[in-house]
Amino acid sequence: MTTPAAFAATAILLAEPARAAMLHALLGGESLTAGELARVAGIGAPAASAHLARLAEGGLVAVHPQGRHRYHRLASEEVAAMLETLGGLTEAVAPARRWPHGEAFRAARLCYDHLAGRLGVALHAGLAGRGWIIPAAGGWAATPAGEAGLARLGVDLAAARGARRFACDCMDWSERRAHLAGGLGREIAACCLRQHWVTRLPAEREGDPLARRRLRLTPEGARRLGETLGVAA
Amino acid sequence: MTTPAAFAATAILLAEPARAAMLHALLGGESLTAGELARVAGIGAPAASAHLARLAEGGLVAVHPQGRHRYHRLASEEVAAMLETLGGLTEAVAPARRWPHGEAFRAARLCYDHLAGRLGVALHAGLAGRGWIIPAAGGWAATPAGEAGLARLGVDLAAARGARRFACDCMDWSERRAHLAGGLGREIAACCLRQHWVTRLPAEREGDPLARRRLRLTPEGARRLGETLGVAA
DNA sequence: CCTGTCCTTCGCCCTGCGGCGAAGCGGCCG
DNA sequence: CGGCCGCTTCGCCGCAGGGCGAAGGACAGG
């Protein structure tokens, strides 16, 4: 059985606003320098340094020195999944009484800047299954066939390449399987939204922070993604 | 998108050792008075009162006044599941480097006092699928056929009925589906352990708090549970 | 109505922790 | 090699928040 204070050890690392802001910034999957993280947390370099040391010691972030910069990223997919879970649960817990979000949320949503839920997982499987992307160092690379196919769909590959990571896995907390993050994940989501293949669902309640993430696959989107990548509605 | 400090709001409630101890005490499913919780947390009544007010306001515990006592319990199954998740992840995260617990843990384990993992989920599905249990107010009730079948397996139904809740769902964090908690869940676990249908797996490391929860389904257990409830090894 | 019990509110202390400025260290660039 | 820059360490301050004792409310029982 879990020891009485088991959660406290890690929870205390998440409970500090500055650390929470840093972890949130890292959820995109990028590696950020200590200075960048200090800025997003709104604190000075010394404080950021101390926080990052604690997060690293707690096993939540991995450090990765490079020249005079020190890059930080989340230590593992499990940490990312835990943060997304806790973030979701935080919102689920507070207004627990009336919260029937269930199905639509699991079907399709935004995970930060890319597609998640069953749609995100199906896209990932479709891209890999058709050989449009193949495993590469630190994530995935696009094959020539993939580049052609993605360009035909309207995905801005140049923009995707501009990101720190072109394509990498992101654990989907409802499906427990990877969906696609990184520059490609972001551009695919942008492409789908731009062409109205997915649309944002209206908020069920005023100010529901979760509502902005819920998506619906349109008939046109289901047709295009289905015939090119085998994604089912 | 999850707001940067979404986790912090709830995490701060779990990060305090006294509050963590209280929540841990409540994970058994019982309702406890403020005085009892003060004692398990090792603090005075005023401090406990303040903590409980914050936990209630944060939606983690529900209060339930009765005469001059105030009973407290976890606000929902979701909160219990979240705590189990965080407790498990805390242990998963800290020694992340060498921790190949994976498969055995997902296959069968104890969730507090009842069976969880694929085994727990399969049991739940078997009981419901065969009509041994049917939905009832606040959880599940046993049908006459279920009572007979459970008694034949050796489950102490009288003890199960003595619990505050006879049978209710508990979210399984690895399977993301419900398994059975409440008095019946507890007695089924006890029955399986008593007859050596499941056995505890030895700890891989000294003092591993997770190790005490890992279970293995024995051949005899697989046979009995398979032929009566369709549970596969 | 008084008494005892359980719980809360109030006022106070005090520790722990986060924040900053200054100083130190090390890599990179002219 | 000197200057710059990013990051860490050190020392100090300030404050939020957790702890307790004392006092105040509510409820049950005699």
Side-chain angles (χ1 to χ4, degrees), chain A residues 122-135 140 229:
Chain A
L123 257 171
H124 186 288
L127 289 166
R130 263 148 229 255
W132 287 22
I133 57 175
I134 52 172
W140 299 83
L229 287 165

Side-chain angles (χ1 to χ4, degrees), chain B residues 35-140:
Chain B
E36 290 169 323
L37 289 167
R39 229 169 303 125
V40 305
I43 56 179
S49 181
H51 285 309
L52 288 168
R54 292 186 63 180
L55 290 173
E57 205 217 350
L60 294 181
V61 310
V63 196
H64 181 5
Q66 202 164 308
R68 53 186 165 184
H69 297 274
R70 301 192 72 192
Y71 286 94
H72 299 259
R73 60 178 176 78
L74 295 186
S76 67
E77 295 285 339
E78 282 73 24
V79 173
M82 176 189 74
L83 292 174
E84 203 197 347
T85 306
L86 186 60
L89 282 165
T90 299
E91 289 151 3
V93 162
R97 290 170 290 270
R98 67 276 187 265
W99 205 58
H101 76 298
E103 207 26 50
F105 195 69
R106 283 207 164 81
R109 66 178 184 277
L110 282 176
C111 168
Y112 305 98
D113 58 3
H114 51 269
L115 299 174
R118 280 199 301 277
L119 174 61
V121 167
L123 256 170
H124 186 287
L127 288 166
R130 263 147 231 258
W132 286 22
I133 58 174
I134 52 173
W140 299 84

Side-chain angles (χ1 to χ4, degrees), chain A residues 1-12 14-17 20-21 23-24 27 58-60 78-79 82-91 93-94 96 106 112-113 173-174 176 209 212-213, chain B residues 1-12 14-17 20-21 23-24 27 58-60 76 78-79 82-83 85-91 93-94 96 106 112 173-174 176 209-210 212-213:
Chain A
M1 158 109 44
T2 311
T3 154
F7 359 91
T10 296
I12 206 167
L14 316 176
E16 164 59 38
L23 292 170
H24 182 261
L27 266 169
L60 294 182
E78 282 72 23
V79 173
M82 175 189 77
L83 292 174
E84 207 192 344
T85 306
L86 185 61
L89 281 165
T90 299
E91 289 153 2
V93 161
R106 283 206 165 81
Y112 306 97
D113 58 3
W173 77 265
S174 64
R176 293 268 153 170
R212 306 193 64 83
R213 298 167 64 186
Chain B
M1 157 125 30
T2 311
T3 155
F7 1 91
T10 296
I12 205 167
L14 316 175
E16 163 61 38
L23 291 170
H24 182 262
L27 268 168
L60 294 181
S76 67
E78 282 73 24
V79 173
M82 176 189 74
L83 292 174
T85 306
L86 186 60
L89 282 165
T90 299
E91 289 151 3
V93 162
R106 283 207 164 81
Y112 305 98
W173 76 263
S174 63
R176 295 269 153 171
L210 222 52
R212 307 192 63 82
R213 299 166 64 184

